[in-house]
Amino acid sequence: MKFNKTLFLTFCMSFMISQAFAWGQIGHYLIGYMASIQMKNSSRKKVEKVLFPMSIGRSGIWMDEIKSDRSYDYVNSWHYLTSKDGEYDPEIQEKGGNAYEAINTLKAELKAGNLSPKEEGEKLKMLIHLVEDIHQPLHVGTGEDRGGNDIKLEFFWQQSNLHAVWDSGMIDRWDMSYTEIGNELMRRVNSDLINQYRNSTINDWLKEAVALRPMIYKLPESKKLSYNYGYENREIVEERLIAASIRLAQILDEIYS
């Protein structure tokens, strides 16, 4: 009986932790995997050396894992930001920082260099994670529902919330590995698409996220989501993953070329 209780508690903790991971582990692995394919060989080797023994894909979940370490509490608000209409307003952000400021700061620090191996490794893992995070549309929040976390609903007959559905719920339902999904999505990546996404700024990323809100928040009165919601939004999820991978590859190439 004691053994079963332990297993139950372990399962509950694992479930709660998984709900806190932006994009979920598969999503982060996937974006990093696709970015590594698109990067220049020279810059990829440099990035892999800094991150070793982690892969680029694996490093994307490190910033979620350190949530259990209180010494990193200062980065808790870096995972998201608030935008009312697609613009960045510093007056309505968390005092501890946000994804917009953190991405710009980390890029500048990594480009400047003069960091210890530990500092460079941690800042690089944070940058990778945050670029991935900000492409999950609900990480650009309205400031009213904690990025959809307060919208409780059922997803395939399980209690969940809107944020968790977009972080991992829909991707997990595909029942594919990150390499299987990545190889499928990479078939769509061509020079025109790369140029489209690279010719943008982080301010454009915010506008993209806000433009998707009508579809994301198009919920039935019952708040019970299943096949139809996943079908209607699959293209959006895939597009956001592709965009994140292209832009992450671009940023890492800029820093390490």
Side-chain angles (χ1 to χ4, degrees), residues 24-231:
Q25 296 191 34
I26 291 179
H28 279 294
Y29 265 99
L30 168 59
I31 296 169
Y33 171 70
M34 292 176 64
S36 68
I37 294 173
Q38 299 172 61
M39 291 173 63
K40 298 175 183 176
N41 286 334
S42 57
S43 53
R44 183 176 62 251
K45 289 178 180 177
K46 292 177 183 177
V47 169
E48 289 174 342
K49 183 178 180 180
V50 173
L51 296 174
F52 186 83
M54 288 188 183
S55 65
I56 296 173
R58 167 73 175 81
S59 66
I61 66 173
W62 177 83
M63 199 172 174
D64 278 330
E65 294 175 336
I66 60 172
K67 288 178 180 178
S68 61
D69 186 337
R70 297 300 302 273
S71 67
Y72 290 100
D73 280 358
Y74 69 95
V75 304
N76 285 347
S77 63
W78 292 13
H79 297 260
Y80 56 89
L81 68 136
T82 299
S83 179
K84 297 293 185 181
D85 54 7
E87 300 295 329
Y88 176 72
D89 181 356
E91 298 300 320
I92 61 175
Q93 307 305 323
E94 297 277 1
K95 292 181 179 179
N98 58 80
Y100 183 98
E101 293 177 353
I103 288 172
N104 287 328
T105 299
L106 290 166
K107 280 174 61 178
E109 291 174 339
L110 287 164
K111 284 182 178 181
N114 298 316
L115 301 169
S116 70
K118 183 176 186 295
E119 289 174 329
E120 184 177 11
E122 292 194 351
K123 290 180 184 296
L124 179 55
K125 285 180 279 190
M126 288 179 181
L127 177 62
I128 290 170
H129 179 90
L130 296 178
V131 171
E132 294 168 351
D133 263 5
I134 204 173
H135 282 83
Q136 199 277 60
L138 288 172
H139 278 254
V140 182
T142 63
E144 298 171 356
D145 60 14
R146 296 192 306 126
N149 276 288
D150 290 338
I151 300 181
K152 307 304 179 185
L153 47 75
E154 283 186 15
F155 186 64
F156 283 90
W157 308 282
Q158 300 293 323
Q159 295 299 312
S160 187
N161 64 71
L162 187 61
H163 191 98
V165 168
W166 280 83
D167 270 357
S168 57
M170 286 189 284
I171 295 176
D172 288 348
R173 287 289 307 178
W174 300 347
D175 197 22
M176 299 166 69
S177 69
Y178 73 88
T179 54
E180 289 172 328
I181 301 171
N183 291 338
E184 285 295 315
L185 296 185
M186 282 301 300
R187 295 167 66 87
R188 306 183 200 173
V189 178
N190 55 44
S191 57
D192 289 339
L193 194 62
I194 290 172
N195 289 333
Q196 173 188 332
Y197 285 126
R198 288 193 169 200
N199 292 326
S200 62
T201 67
I202 189 170
N203 297 81
D204 296 317
W205 305 359
L206 307 190
K207 292 181 175 67
E208 291 169 0
V210 170
L212 295 173
R213 285 178 184 166
M215 283 295 293
I216 294 170
Y217 284 89
K218 186 181 178 182
L219 305 173
E221 289 186 17
S222 66
K223 296 293 195 299
K224 295 180 179 180
L225 311 182
S226 57
Y227 298 100
N228 192 55
Y229 188 83
Y231 175 75

